[in-house]
Amino acid sequence: MVNRSDDPLLVVTDLRVAYSHAIVALQGVSLAVGRGEIVSLLGRNGSGKTTLLRALTGLLPYHDGRIVDGEVRLAGTSVSTMSASGIVSAGVAQVMEGRRIFAELTVDENLSAGAVTLRDRRQVASNRDAVFSLFPFLADRKADQAGYLSGGEQQMLAIGRAMMSSPDLLILDEPSLGLAPMVVTRIRDIVTEINERGATVLLVEQNAAMALSISDYGYILSAGQVAKEGPGRELESDPRVRELYLGAALGTSHG
Amino acid sequence: MEKFFQLFVAAIALGGIYALIALGFVVVYKATGTFNFAQGGFVLLGAYLVYQFGDDWSLPFFVALILAMVVMAGVAAGIERVVIRPMINGPPFTIVLITLGVLLIIEQAVRTLWSEPAYVLTTPWGNGVTEVAGVSIRHVDMWTVGFATLVLGGFFAIFRFTTIGIAMRATAFDQEAAAAQGIKVGRSFSISWAIAGAVAVVAGAMLTSRTGSVLTPGLSFIALRAFPAMIIGGLDSPGGAVAGGVVIGVVEVMALGYLDFDWIGSGFEVVLAYVLMIIVLLWRPNGLFGTRAVQRV
């Protein structure tokens, strides 16, 4: 177990985000992700999870949003005003909600697109090998147009693409959304394996049971604020958490 | 049959020029979603720059051509950065009108900077003709086919096989997802416009050096004849732009060579491309190679 107080990789302090200068989507969120941890971020639709991820990864400008106040620090350096590409270079990769693979590009080109921030070709080649060892089917289908992969395969391509930049912090937004239970289990195992290979993981999920079962720590967002936080196991067994924030999702996937 | 081969070479050459112009349109449209009327202005200014560097400053033709390509690449990228990008989230029609304004400004600037009504571009091939098995082939047409092949081949090599090309295609498909991979979306835009500027120079120089042609501010209007080429090929398909350009060139030259338009009035070959465009669109509304809508699976 990681000591959470000891030099976390990601620190978010009192973050406030507004869209189009009017709607306040995040009203002072603070959280930390320690090195080597899997931290999950839970909450219902509209609770601010995706907004928080956009703020962490520099994508707010694509949605007319901006950080009004507060700070995001990665390994001690502020990234609040960095561009999306700057943040990737700084070591953060993300798997966006809805996978967002480049359907018109081949599988291999999708992986190359994930490695644009790397200068060292050998590094790119070894990352590609690592992705293929994680997802052997991608190697067999690397010349195929990515749009022809199944939903689960596209999700794995999206994860592989994110791993191509050798991130210190991997952010996943709803990786299990819309996938069959067997595939969800597979995604969970992959997230665990990626974490064991050295990446810190921030996992946003609606499938709270899946997320908490592999998380060291969890935060529950509600109406743009942290409503509750605690070690994964603690949140998992808290009846109030189950009732108030996680709905039925927790009960069903435990059986 | 000899007449056919003679016309065929000329047709492919003109098609190559239209393909280059259409490619400029398509590259910008694909990357930034902008229908760029200023492309005709890039062709115009590019040709005048070749004249300036080659005939006026007496640089060797190929040096003048490459220098003009570099300058036009910079001019086009600069225009995108200064007047288009700040509008990127604005109404598409506004951006289209801005590009129309840029076209008019370029035309006026050319009239001011080069005040003679017409110039002759001096080229290494001049008006040379070679006789091959009874078919006389103009040197300019052979050079044009060669240049078009080289430039188009170079473009597709970059677009298909390099990291820059992957970044451009990824950006064209999904800007936000591209940015999330660390792709510098703004740089993809700049590169697309720079390519449009550079290929326009080649098109402009080849159009102007065709036998009997002179360099006038009307060149930008001729360049707009490539419009139907991009529509026929499909607005978002660079390969389609090339196919559309060649089709238009072949139809225009062959129609002029074989058909008698006296009954319909001279100049029909100019609108022929548009007639062809309408026919193709009735048959295939997205052009021959265009995508219906970007698929999000």
Side-chain angles (χ1 to χ4, degrees), chain B residues 14-288:
Chain B
L14 186 61
I17 295 173
Y18 286 160
L20 287 173
I21 301 171
L23 179 69
F25 278 120
V26 168
V27 162
V28 163
Y29 182 83
K30 200 171 167 64
T32 57
T34 305
F35 199 84
N36 177 27
F37 277 99
Q39 187 66 22
F42 296 169
V43 173
L44 175 67
L45 182 57
Y48 274 87
L49 286 176
V50 177
Y51 169 83
Q52 184 64 39
F53 299 149
D55 290 72
D56 203 49
W57 294 358
S58 308
L59 294 173
F61 178 79
F62 292 106
V63 176
L65 184 72
I66 287 165
L67 187 58
M69 287 173 77
V70 172
V71 172
M72 265 324 292
V75 168
I79 287 170
E80 186 276 326
R81 189 69 192 83
V82 175
V83 299
I84 305 294
R85 199 173 308 172
M87 295 298 302
I88 200 87
N89 291 319
F93 190 64
T94 309
I95 300 177
V96 171
L97 279 187
I98 289 174
T99 69
L100 194 58
V102 170
L103 170 65
L104 298 176
I105 291 166
I106 289 176
E107 285 179 348
Q108 192 50 47
V110 164
R111 283 198 182 86
T112 308
L113 290 170
W114 293 277
S115 52
E116 299 285 324
Y119 297 87
V120 175
L121 197 62
T122 314
T123 57
W125 47 87
N127 288 330
V129 174
T130 298
E131 201 85 15
V132 183
V135 181
S136 47
I137 295 169
R138 293 187 186 124
H139 291 176
V140 61
D141 288 339
M142 290 194 295
W143 279 97
T144 301
V145 172
F147 267 125
T149 308
L150 193 69
V151 172
L152 294 172
F155 167 78
F156 282 104
I158 290 171
F159 201 58
R160 282 277 139 223
F161 303 120
T162 68
T163 307
I164 290 171
I166 289 172
M168 285 172 67
R169 283 184 286 142
T171 306
F173 186 78
D174 185 338
Q175 277 178 31
E176 189 188 9
Q181 310 312 316
I183 290 168
K184 290 178 175 137
V185 169
R187 200 169 68 170
S188 290
F189 293 168
S190 301
I191 292 169
S192 303
W193 282 70
I195 288 173
V199 298
V201 173
V202 180
M206 300 326 281
L207 262 181
T208 314
S209 66
R210 280 160 61 80
T211 312
S213 295
V214 286
L215 183 53
T216 73
L219 184 64
S220 56
F221 180 72
I222 299 171
L224 294 184
R225 271 200 232 169
F227 253 166
M230 68 180 294
I231 306 280
I232 286 173
L235 267 172
D236 59 354
S237 163
V242 175
V246 173
V247 166
I248 296 280
V250 168
V251 168
E252 186 177 321
V253 171
M254 291 298 176
L256 262 183
Y258 284 109
L259 302 178
D260 179 7
F261 291 119
D262 285 350
W263 57 275
I264 207 170
S266 65
F268 183 66
E269 75 278 3
V270 177
V271 297
L272 192 63
Y274 284 89
V275 174
L276 194 67
M277 173 184 89
I278 291 167
I279 293 170
V280 169
L281 290 184
L282 288 175
W283 169 46
R284 290 185 67 113
N286 296 294
L288 298 175

Side-chain angles (χ1 to χ4, degrees), chain A residues 11 47 63 67-69 88-89 126 181 186 195 207 213 234:
Chain A
V11 180
S47 59
H63 301 273
I67 294 176
V68 183
D69 200 10
V88 176
S89 298
S126 87
R186 172 106 174 82
N195 179 245
N207 188 337
S213 71
E234 215 171 90

Side-chain angles (χ1 to χ4, degrees), chain A residues 138-224:
Chain A
L138 288 179
D140 302 330
R141 304 198 55 183
K142 59 184 176 184
D144 291 1
Q145 211 173 323
Y148 292 127
L149 299 181
S150 73
E153 289 170 337
Q154 289 188 11
Q155 187 65 64
M156 293 179 212
L157 174 59
I159 295 172
R161 181 177 66 176
M163 293 310 293
M164 285 297 290
S165 62
S166 26
D168 300 320
L169 175 64
L170 177 69
I171 297 177
L172 299 107
D173 193 358
E174 307 272 7
S176 75
L177 196 68
L179 299 179
M182 261 182 64
V183 185
V184 173
T185 309
R186 172 106 174 82
I187 299 277
R188 187 194 63 190
D189 295 345
I190 287 160
V191 172
T192 313
E193 187 172 347
I194 287 171
N195 179 245
E196 279 163 5
R197 289 185 182 192
T200 302
V201 173
L202 177 59
L203 177 61
V204 171
E205 263 297 344
Q206 296 235 0
N207 188 337
M210 183 275 252
L212 289 176
S213 71
I214 58 171
S215 294
D216 298 299
Y217 204 79
Y219 292 88
I220 297 170
L221 282 190
S222 178

Side-chain angles (χ1 to χ4, degrees), chain A residues 3-38:
Chain A
N3 182 359
R4 290 194 51 80
S5 61
D6 181 34
D7 181 32
L9 180 59
L10 179 79
V11 180
V12 177
T13 318
D14 196 29
L15 194 68
R16 289 164 200 274
V17 171
Y19 286 110
S20 301
H21 306 269
I23 315 153
V24 178
L26 290 187
Q27 352 216 12
V29 169
S30 298
L31 54 82
V33 179
R35 288 174 201 278
E37 280 187 321
I38 297 180

